[in-house]
Amino acid sequence: MAKWGDWHCGENKTRFTGRYQTSEPSIIEHYLEGDAVRLVMIGDRHWQIKLEGDGWLKSIHHPTASFMQADPRLVEDTRNIAKGLGLEIAANDYIITADGEPHLLEVNHIPNVTRFPEIWDAYSDYVVDWVQRQCG
């Protein structure tokens, strides 16, 4: 799979086999078949979202993307990665393959907070709290 640009969300990607000549500077990744999920962490709160799409491209923006029960492994992994990167807000995208194994695809340090009202509310509360902590 080739990915380019700074906006993915089901765009700016192509699957290929064999040789591929890209017209854009691209990141080449091995394509993994499975369920696409995102674990969003804002401070101490977290949500897991099943990403959806009409074909192989999955996105948080698809109308059927929805919350699902959070996998404790992904919560712990996201917390550890965020801590290691010094992030208080992060969203990790994973593919869960048929054998149940999670594969980290990317870390989003500026995750989408507008798609789901619950996440927007938590983000808004977090920002207000952060400002208050900074101003003493």
Side-chain angles (χ1 to χ4, degrees), residues 20-123:
Y20 175 73
Q21 180 65 42
T22 178
S23 59
E24 302 281 340
S26 300
I27 296 171
I28 306 300
E29 298 177 348
H30 177 73
Y31 177 77
L32 294 169
E33 190 71 45
D35 291 327
V37 301
R38 172 173 287 184
L39 197 297
V40 178
M41 185 192 75
I42 298 175
D44 293 332
R45 300 183 67 189
H46 64 268
W47 302 262
Q48 186 166 321
I49 302 164
K50 182 155 187 338
L51 306 179
E52 295 288 357
D54 296 324
W56 70 274
L57 293 169
K58 306 300 180 198
S59 172
I60 191 172
H61 298 287
H62 195 273
T64 61
S66 60
F67 290 118
M68 61 186 295
Q69 181 70 36
D71 181 330
R73 299 173 302 171
L74 302 186
V75 173
E76 181 179 3
D77 192 51
T78 300
R79 285 195 196 287
N80 289 337
I81 290 169
K83 183 178 178 183
L85 294 173
L87 302 173
E88 295 181 43
I89 298 173
N92 288 357
D93 291 344
Y94 297 88
I95 292 291
I96 312 299
T97 52
D99 61 2
E101 285 300 310
H103 299 267
L104 177 65
L105 298 179
E106 64 188 35
V107 177
N108 297 281
H109 69 290
I110 304 174
N112 182 297
V113 296
T114 61
R115 172 67 173 80
F116 295 97
E118 299 89 339
I119 295 175
W120 173 252
D121 291 344
Y123 177 74

